[in-house]
Amino acid sequence: MLTAHMEPNLEVVDVSSHESFNAWGHGYPHKSVRWHFHPEYEIHLVTAATGTFFVGDFIGTFAPGNLVMIGPNLPHNWVSDLMEGELVYQRCLVMQFPGALASNAIKIFPELRYVGKLLKEARGGLLFSSETGLAAQSLMLELTEARGIRRVQLFLTLIELLALDTSRKRLASSEYASDMGDIASSKINVALKYINKNFATDLREPDVVAITGQSISAFSRAFHKHVGMTFVSYINHLRIKRSCELLTSGRISITDICFKVGFNNVSNFNRQFLLQKGMSPSKFRDIDEMKISKCS
Protein backbone atom coordinates (compact mmCIF):
# COMPACT_ATOMS: atom_id res chain seq x y z
CA MET A 1 0.00 0.00 0.00
CA LEU A 2 1.48 3.33 -1.08
CA THR A 3 -0.83 5.61 0.93
CA ALA A 4 2.06 7.58 2.44
CA HIS A 5 3.34 8.48 -1.05
CA MET A 6 0.06 9.84 -2.40
CA GLU A 7 -0.90 13.51 -2.28
CA PRO A 8 -2.94 14.03 0.90
CA ASN A 9 -6.27 15.83 0.91
CA LEU A 10 -7.05 18.81 3.09
CA GLU A 11 -9.83 18.02 5.56
CA VAL A 12 -11.92 21.03 6.52
CA VAL A 13 -12.48 20.70 10.28
CA ASP A 14 -15.69 22.53 11.06
CA VAL A 15 -15.78 23.38 14.78
CA SER A 16 -19.20 24.49 16.01
CA SER A 17 -19.61 28.22 16.61
CA HIS A 18 -20.50 27.60 20.28
CA GLU A 19 -17.71 25.10 20.97
CA SER A 20 -13.91 25.30 21.02
CA PHE A 21 -13.10 21.78 19.77
CA ASN A 22 -14.64 18.73 18.11
CA ALA A 23 -15.19 15.41 19.89
CA TRP A 24 -16.82 12.61 17.91
CA GLY A 25 -16.57 9.00 16.81
CA HIS A 26 -17.00 7.18 13.51
CA GLY A 27 -17.11 3.72 12.06
CA TYR A 28 -15.40 2.13 9.08
CA PRO A 29 -15.65 2.68 6.15
CA HIS A 30 -16.16 6.43 6.62
CA LYS A 31 -15.69 9.46 4.35
CA SER A 32 -12.96 10.85 6.64
CA VAL A 33 -10.84 7.71 6.25
CA ARG A 34 -8.30 8.75 3.64
CA TRP A 35 -4.74 10.08 3.46
CA HIS A 36 -5.36 13.64 4.66
CA PHE A 37 -4.21 16.54 6.83
CA HIS A 38 -5.65 19.59 8.59
CA PRO A 39 -4.28 22.58 10.54
CA GLU A 40 -5.86 21.36 13.79
CA TYR A 41 -4.33 19.01 16.35
CA GLU A 42 -6.01 15.62 16.52
CA ILE A 43 -6.20 12.95 19.22
CA HIS A 44 -7.22 9.63 17.67
CA LEU A 45 -8.14 6.49 19.65
CA VAL A 46 -8.96 3.16 17.98
CA THR A 47 -11.77 1.31 19.78
CA ALA A 48 -12.36 -1.57 17.35
CA ALA A 49 -10.67 -3.43 14.45
CA THR A 50 -7.05 -3.85 13.44
CA GLY A 51 -5.10 -2.58 10.47
CA THR A 52 -2.32 -0.30 9.26
CA PHE A 53 -1.85 3.36 10.11
CA PHE A 54 0.21 6.07 8.45
CA VAL A 55 1.55 9.25 10.08
CA GLY A 56 3.95 11.30 7.97
CA ASP A 57 6.55 8.79 6.79
CA PHE A 58 5.69 6.31 9.57
CA ILE A 59 3.83 3.06 8.82
CA GLY A 60 2.68 0.78 11.63
CA THR A 61 -0.08 -1.60 12.70
CA PHE A 62 -2.92 -0.74 15.04
CA ALA A 63 -5.38 -2.52 17.32
CA PRO A 64 -7.96 -1.34 19.87
CA GLY A 65 -6.24 0.98 22.36
CA ASN A 66 -4.04 2.59 19.69
CA LEU A 67 -3.85 6.23 20.85
CA VAL A 68 -2.11 8.81 18.65
CA MET A 69 -1.81 12.58 18.69
CA ILE A 70 -1.31 14.36 15.37
CA GLY A 71 0.13 17.86 14.98
CA PRO A 72 -0.96 20.55 12.49
CA ASN A 73 -0.76 19.66 8.78
CA LEU A 74 0.74 16.22 9.44
CA PRO A 75 -0.76 13.71 6.94
CA HIS A 76 -2.31 10.59 8.48
CA ASN A 77 -4.69 7.69 7.86
CA TRP A 78 -5.92 4.46 9.50
CA VAL A 79 -6.88 1.59 7.17
CA SER A 80 -8.73 -1.36 8.74
CA ASP A 81 -8.26 -5.02 7.82
CA LEU A 82 -11.82 -6.04 7.02
CA MET A 83 -13.51 -8.46 4.66
CA GLU A 84 -15.21 -6.90 1.65
CA GLY A 85 -18.55 -5.50 2.72
CA GLU A 86 -17.73 -5.76 6.43
CA LEU A 87 -18.64 -2.74 8.54
CA VAL A 88 -17.53 -1.45 11.94
CA TYR A 89 -20.10 0.70 13.75
CA GLN A 90 -17.58 2.64 15.84
CA ARG A 91 -13.92 2.19 15.02
CA CYS A 92 -12.45 5.23 16.72
CA LEU A 93 -12.95 8.29 18.88
CA VAL A 94 -11.54 11.59 17.66
CA MET A 95 -10.88 14.98 19.22
CA GLN A 96 -9.71 17.94 17.09
CA PHE A 97 -8.75 21.37 18.33
CA PRO A 98 -7.01 24.45 16.87
CA GLY A 99 -3.51 25.25 18.07
CA ALA A 100 -4.68 28.70 19.14
CA LEU A 101 -6.94 27.10 21.74
CA ALA A 102 -3.99 25.49 23.52
CA SER A 103 -1.56 28.39 23.12
CA ASN A 104 -4.12 30.90 24.41
CA ALA A 105 -4.95 28.64 27.36
CA ILE A 106 -1.26 28.44 28.25
CA LYS A 107 -1.00 32.24 28.19
CA ILE A 108 -4.00 32.60 30.48
CA PHE A 109 -3.13 29.72 32.82
CA PRO A 110 0.64 29.42 33.51
CA GLU A 111 -0.12 26.09 35.19
CA LEU A 112 -0.56 24.65 31.69
CA ARG A 113 2.92 25.59 30.46
CA TYR A 114 4.08 21.96 30.53
CA VAL A 115 1.53 21.22 27.79
CA GLY A 116 3.69 23.21 25.36
CA LYS A 117 6.20 20.34 25.22
CA LEU A 118 3.43 17.91 24.28
CA LEU A 119 2.17 20.19 21.51
CA LYS A 120 5.67 20.62 20.08
CA GLU A 121 6.32 16.86 20.06
CA ALA A 122 2.92 16.18 18.45
CA ARG A 123 4.08 17.94 15.28
CA GLY A 124 5.86 14.70 14.45
CA GLY A 125 2.99 12.49 15.64
CA LEU A 126 2.95 10.71 19.00
CA LEU A 127 2.02 7.15 19.95
CA PHE A 128 1.04 6.62 23.59
CA SER A 129 1.19 3.55 25.80
CA SER A 130 -1.64 1.02 25.86
CA GLU A 131 -2.29 2.00 29.49
CA THR A 132 -2.82 5.62 28.45
CA GLY A 133 -5.05 4.47 25.61
CA LEU A 134 -7.20 2.49 28.01
CA ALA A 135 -7.48 5.44 30.41
CA ALA A 136 -8.31 7.83 27.56
CA GLN A 137 -11.22 5.79 26.22
CA SER A 138 -13.73 6.65 28.95
CA LEU A 139 -12.74 10.33 28.79
CA MET A 140 -13.10 10.55 25.02
CA LEU A 141 -16.35 8.60 25.03
CA GLU A 142 -17.87 10.99 27.57
CA LEU A 143 -16.51 13.96 25.60
CA THR A 144 -18.68 13.05 22.61
CA GLU A 145 -21.78 13.75 24.71
CA ALA A 146 -20.58 16.26 27.33
CA ARG A 147 -21.73 19.87 27.45
CA GLY A 148 -20.66 23.08 29.17
CA ILE A 149 -18.01 23.14 31.86
CA ARG A 150 -17.87 19.35 32.05
CA ARG A 151 -16.68 19.31 28.45
CA VAL A 152 -13.78 21.66 29.29
CA GLN A 153 -12.90 19.57 32.36
CA LEU A 154 -12.69 16.42 30.26
CA PHE A 155 -10.57 18.18 27.63
CA LEU A 156 -8.03 19.31 30.24
CA THR A 157 -8.00 15.90 31.93
CA LEU A 158 -7.29 14.20 28.61
CA ILE A 159 -4.49 16.62 27.72
CA GLU A 160 -2.96 16.11 31.17
CA LEU A 161 -3.13 12.33 30.72
CA LEU A 162 -1.19 12.58 27.45
CA ALA A 163 1.33 15.08 28.81
CA LEU A 164 2.15 12.81 31.77
CA ASP A 165 2.81 9.74 29.59
CA THR A 166 6.62 9.68 29.58
CA SER A 167 6.67 6.56 27.38
CA ARG A 168 5.11 8.31 24.37
CA LYS A 169 7.01 7.82 21.12
CA ARG A 170 7.48 10.01 18.06
CA LEU A 171 6.15 8.46 14.86
CA ALA A 172 7.39 10.49 11.87
CA SER A 173 11.15 10.51 11.42
CA SER A 174 13.10 13.59 12.48
CA GLU A 175 13.97 14.11 8.78
CA TYR A 176 10.33 14.20 7.74
CA ALA A 177 9.18 17.67 6.73
CA SER A 178 5.51 18.32 6.09
CA ASP A 179 4.77 21.38 3.98
CA MET A 180 1.16 21.22 2.89
CA GLY A 181 0.97 24.80 1.62
CA ASP A 182 0.81 23.91 -2.07
CA ILE A 183 -1.59 21.03 -1.53
CA ALA A 184 -3.89 23.13 0.64
CA SER A 185 -4.21 25.60 -2.23
CA SER A 186 -5.08 22.93 -4.83
CA LYS A 187 -8.30 23.35 -6.78
CA ILE A 188 -10.55 21.01 -4.82
CA ASN A 189 -9.35 22.32 -1.48
CA VAL A 190 -9.87 25.93 -2.55
CA ALA A 191 -13.40 24.91 -3.51
CA LEU A 192 -13.98 23.28 -0.11
CA LYS A 193 -12.89 26.40 1.74
CA TYR A 194 -15.23 28.49 -0.42
CA ILE A 195 -18.15 26.13 0.17
CA ASN A 196 -17.64 26.05 3.92
CA LYS A 197 -17.69 29.85 3.99
CA ASN A 198 -20.72 30.29 1.70
CA PHE A 199 -22.95 27.22 2.14
CA ALA A 200 -25.74 29.30 3.73
CA THR A 201 -26.11 31.37 0.55
CA ASP A 202 -27.80 30.34 -2.70
CA LEU A 203 -24.68 28.40 -3.64
CA ARG A 204 -24.75 26.34 -6.82
CA GLU A 205 -22.23 23.92 -8.25
CA PRO A 206 -21.42 26.02 -11.36
CA ASP A 207 -20.51 28.93 -9.04
CA VAL A 208 -17.90 26.80 -7.29
CA VAL A 209 -16.68 25.16 -10.50
CA ALA A 210 -15.96 28.63 -11.88
CA ILE A 211 -13.34 29.35 -9.20
CA THR A 212 -11.52 26.07 -9.93
CA GLY A 213 -11.27 26.45 -13.69
CA GLN A 214 -12.42 22.83 -14.19
CA SER A 215 -15.24 21.40 -16.22
CA ILE A 216 -18.35 20.44 -14.23
CA SER A 217 -17.78 16.74 -14.90
CA ALA A 218 -14.12 16.85 -13.78
CA PHE A 219 -15.03 18.84 -10.68
CA SER A 220 -17.87 16.47 -9.77
CA ARG A 221 -15.62 13.41 -10.04
CA ALA A 222 -12.84 15.03 -8.00
CA PHE A 223 -15.29 16.35 -5.41
CA HIS A 224 -16.96 12.98 -4.85
CA LYS A 225 -13.58 11.25 -4.58
CA HIS A 226 -12.31 13.82 -2.10
CA VAL A 227 -15.40 14.29 0.10
CA GLY A 228 -17.20 10.97 -0.35
CA MET A 229 -20.50 12.54 -1.41
CA THR A 230 -21.99 14.71 -4.13
CA PHE A 231 -21.87 18.50 -4.10
CA VAL A 232 -25.56 18.80 -3.20
CA SER A 233 -25.30 16.20 -0.44
CA TYR A 234 -22.32 18.01 1.08
CA ILE A 235 -24.13 21.37 1.03
CA ASN A 236 -27.14 19.78 2.73
CA HIS A 237 -24.84 18.14 5.28
CA LEU A 238 -23.29 21.51 6.20
CA ARG A 239 -26.68 23.21 6.38
CA ILE A 240 -28.20 20.57 8.63
CA LYS A 241 -25.13 20.61 10.87
CA ARG A 242 -25.43 24.37 11.24
CA SER A 243 -29.16 24.09 11.88
CA CYS A 244 -28.47 21.67 14.75
CA GLU A 245 -26.19 24.27 16.32
CA LEU A 246 -28.90 26.92 16.02
CA LEU A 247 -31.58 24.60 17.38
CA THR A 248 -29.52 23.97 20.52
CA SER A 249 -28.22 27.49 21.06
CA GLY A 250 -31.40 29.55 21.49
CA ARG A 251 -35.05 30.08 20.69
CA ILE A 252 -34.73 31.02 17.02
CA SER A 253 -37.82 29.75 15.23
CA ILE A 254 -37.45 26.69 13.04
CA THR A 255 -38.66 28.69 10.03
CA ASP A 256 -35.99 31.35 10.61
CA ILE A 257 -33.33 28.65 11.01
CA CYS A 258 -34.42 27.07 7.73
CA PHE A 259 -33.70 30.23 5.75
CA LYS A 260 -30.68 31.22 7.86
CA VAL A 261 -28.78 28.04 6.93
CA GLY A 262 -29.57 28.33 3.22
CA PHE A 263 -32.74 26.33 2.50
CA ASN A 264 -35.37 28.13 0.42
CA ASN A 265 -38.44 26.34 1.80
CA VAL A 266 -39.39 24.71 5.10
CA SER A 267 -40.65 21.44 3.61
CA ASN A 268 -37.28 20.70 1.99
CA PHE A 269 -35.51 21.65 5.23
CA ASN A 270 -37.71 19.26 7.22
CA ARG A 271 -37.18 16.50 4.67
CA GLN A 272 -33.39 16.86 4.66
CA PHE A 273 -33.29 17.08 8.46
CA LEU A 274 -35.31 13.87 8.76
CA LEU A 275 -33.03 12.09 6.27
CA GLN A 276 -29.87 13.03 8.16
CA LYS A 277 -31.03 12.99 11.79
CA GLY A 278 -33.93 10.53 11.72
CA MET A 279 -36.29 13.05 13.33
CA SER A 280 -37.86 16.44 12.75
CA PRO A 281 -36.15 19.69 13.79
CA SER A 282 -38.75 20.25 16.52
CA LYS A 283 -38.17 16.76 17.93
CA PHE A 284 -34.41 17.37 17.87
CA ARG A 285 -34.88 20.61 19.84
CA ASP A 286 -37.19 18.91 22.37
CA ILE A 287 -34.65 16.14 23.02
CA ASP A 288 -31.85 18.66 23.49
CA GLU A 289 -33.94 20.66 25.98
CA MET A 290 -34.67 17.49 27.93
CA LYS A 291 -30.92 16.82 28.20
CA ILE A 292 -30.34 20.34 29.50
CA SER A 293 -33.09 20.09 32.11
CA LYS A 294 -31.64 16.84 33.43
CA CYS A 295 -28.22 18.47 33.83
CA SER A 296 -29.56 21.61 35.53
Side-chain angles (χ1 to χ4, degrees):
M1 186 177 296
L2 299 177
T3 303
H5 300 288
M6 296 166 59
E7 180 180 282
N9 294 137
L10 168 67
E11 177 182 295
V12 178
V13 175
D14 184 20
V15 178
S16 167
S17 59
H18 61 277
E19 294 176 341
S20 54
F21 60 88
N22 286 342
W24 56 296
H26 67 76
Y28 186 89
H30 187 268
K31 63 183 180 182
S32 69
V33 179
R34 63 190 191 279
W35 182 232
H36 69 284
F37 69 99
H38 42 72
E40 295 76 14
Y41 285 88
E42 176 173 312
I43 299 171
H44 187 285
L45 174 66
V46 175
T47 57
T50 60
T52 304
F53 73 110
F54 307 80
V55 176
D57 59 356
F58 173 87
I59 302 176
T61 58
F62 70 82
N66 171 264
L67 177 63
V68 171
M69 185 172 182
I70 305 294
N73 296 325
L74 181 63
H76 53 280
N77 192 18
W78 278 253
V79 180
S80 294
D81 296 327
L82 298 178
M83 300 292 289
E84 185 175 352
E86 186 179 358
L87 304 175
V88 177
Y89 173 69
Q90 186 184 77
R91 188 191 68 169
C92 61
L93 298 168
V94 178
M95 190 178 78
Q96 298 164 318
F97 62 93
L101 173 65
S103 59
N104 289 338
I106 292 171
K107 290 177 183 177
I108 297 171
F109 300 103
E111 294 87 349
L112 298 177
R113 59 187 178 277
Y114 68 95
V115 175
K117 186 173 186 292
L118 175 72
L119 298 176
K120 183 177 180 180
E121 292 177 4
R123 292 184 174 276
L126 292 172
L127 175 65
F128 298 88
S129 67
S130 56
E131 292 78 13
T132 299
L134 181 63
Q137 183 163 339
S138 59
L139 295 173
M140 295 184 70
L141 192 59
E142 186 179 351
L143 260 173
T144 63
E145 298 290 337
R147 303 172 66 102
I149 293 177
R150 179 58 178 163
R151 200 167 185 266
V152 177
Q153 290 174 327
L154 290 166
F155 172 81
L156 292 174
T157 301
L158 178 60
I159 293 298
E160 180 182 40
L161 177 69
L162 303 188
L164 293 178
D165 185 349
T166 57
S167 63
R168 59 182 184 261
K169 299 178 180 179
R170 180 185 170 102
L171 294 175
S173 68
S174 57
E175 295 80 21
Y176 181 79
S178 176
D179 183 5
M180 296 294 104
D182 291 339
I183 296 175
S185 63
S186 64
K187 292 179 179 179
I188 195 67
N189 291 320
V190 167
L192 272 176
K193 289 181 180 179
Y194 184 81
I195 292 168
N196 278 264
K197 184 178 180 180
N198 297 283
F199 68 84
T201 66
D202 184 24
L203 190 62
R204 302 178 185 277
E205 189 168 10
D207 301 330
V208 180
V209 171
I211 69 174
T212 69
Q214 297 175 291
S215 67
I216 290 183
S217 59
F219 174 82
S220 296
R221 288 193 300 270
F223 189 88
H224 193 279
K225 179 181 179 181
H226 184 103
V227 180
M229 61 182 79
T230 65
F231 175 84
V232 173
S233 296
Y234 186 63
I235 295 294
N236 286 333
H237 165 76
L238 293 177
R239 288 174 175 172
I240 295 302
K241 181 177 180 180
R242 178 57 180 152
S243 71
C244 289
E245 296 172 7
L246 295 173
L247 285 165
T248 60
S249 63
R251 295 306 306 173
I252 307 174
S253 74
I254 290 175
T255 298
D256 286 345
I257 290 174
C258 162
F259 294 108
K260 192 177 183 67
V261 301
F263 288 101
N264 55 18
N265 67 78
V266 177
S267 61
N268 185 35
F269 171 57
N270 288 332
R271 181 168 58 253
Q272 292 299 329
F273 200 99
L274 179 63
L275 283 172
Q276 292 190 39
K277 298 299 177 181
M279 64 184 76
S280 67
S282 58
K283 180 67 173 180
F284 181 89
R285 171 172 273 170
D286 289 342
I287 291 175
D288 184 74
E289 290 177 345
M290 287 176 61
K291 288 181 181 179
I292 294 174
S293 65
K294 288 180 181 179
C295 294
S296 59

